[in-house]
Amino acid sequence: MNTLLWFRNDLRLHDNEALNEAVRKTEHLTPVFVFDPRQYAKTETGLPKTGPFRLRFLMDALKELNRRLEQINSRLIILTGHPEQVIPRFCRNHDVDRVVLHEEEATEEKLCEMKLRDNLTPRGVEVNSYNG
C-alpha cells in the first residue's frame, strides 16, 4: 500500500498519531505539505490571513520537518494549490492508495477535508483522519 501523509498544522514527527498510523499499514510513505493559496489571501477586512511572522515560522518549521525526514531517509514533498484538487492529482500520478491526515477543527479546513474525501473516495483512495 502506498500512503500519502498530509501534514497540515501538526508538523511534528514525535508523538504524531497520523504518522504512527500511516507507517503501520504501508509499504511506501510520502509526506506532503500543501501551500493552500486561500491561507495566504486577505481577509474580508483587507488584512492578510497569514502575516509575515507566521509565514516565517511556518517556513522554518517545514525546513526542520524536512531535515528530520531526511534523517530517516525520506523527504517532504511541497505542493501548491487547493489541497482537495492537488492531492487527488498527486495520488493519481503516484499510485497512492491511502491518504492520512490530522483532523482540523476550523470550518474552512473541515470543508476542505470533506471535498478531499469526495474527490478521493470514488477513485478508491482510502482517507483516514486522526484527531491529533
Side-chain angles (χ1 to χ4, degrees):
M1 178 172 281
N2 291 328
T3 302
L4 181 148
L5 173 59
W6 179 22
F7 280 97
R8 297 170 87 181
N9 288 317
D10 187 349
L11 302 177
R12 301 170 299 134
L13 292 183
H14 173 72
D15 194 30
N16 185 318
E17 184 180 5
L19 172 62
N20 291 336
E21 289 300 317
V23 297
R24 285 178 33 183
K25 299 186 234 172
T26 196
E27 295 170 23
H28 182 75
L29 180 67
T30 304
V32 170
F33 180 84
V34 181
F35 277 104
D36 185 339
R38 295 172 291 203
Q39 297 300 316
Y40 307 96
K42 293 190 176 187
T43 65
E44 295 151 3
T45 61
L47 297 172
K49 278 183 144 183
T50 303
F53 296 112
R54 171 72 179 139
L55 183 57
R56 182 68 200 164
F57 175 81
L58 174 61
M59 297 302 288
D60 289 344
L62 289 171
K63 218 182 278 187
E64 177 63 16
L65 174 60
N66 190 54
R67 187 186 69 74
R68 288 177 177 257
L69 287 167
E70 286 175 343
Q71 290 174 343
I72 57 172
N73 297 319
S74 187
R75 69 182 175 97
L76 184 64
I77 303 294
I78 306 270
L79 304 174
T80 302
H82 296 183
E84 67 272 19
Q85 295 169 355
V86 297
I87 290 176
R89 189 176 318 124
F90 185 92
C91 290
R92 200 172 40 250
N93 293 337
H94 295 89
D95 297 320
V96 172
D97 306 300
R98 180 173 66 137
V99 172
V100 177
L101 57 106
H102 268 163
E103 293 177 354
E104 297 290 336
E105 296 302 320
T107 304
E108 288 178 13
E109 285 83 354
K110 286 270 190 212
L111 182 60
C112 179
E113 187 179 322
M114 285 179 12
K115 288 179 182 178
L116 178 69
R117 285 180 191 279
D118 290 346
N119 290 338
L120 288 173
T121 304
R123 295 182 176 145
V125 178
E126 184 182 326
V127 180
N128 302 130
S129 58
Y130 297 92
N131 194 0

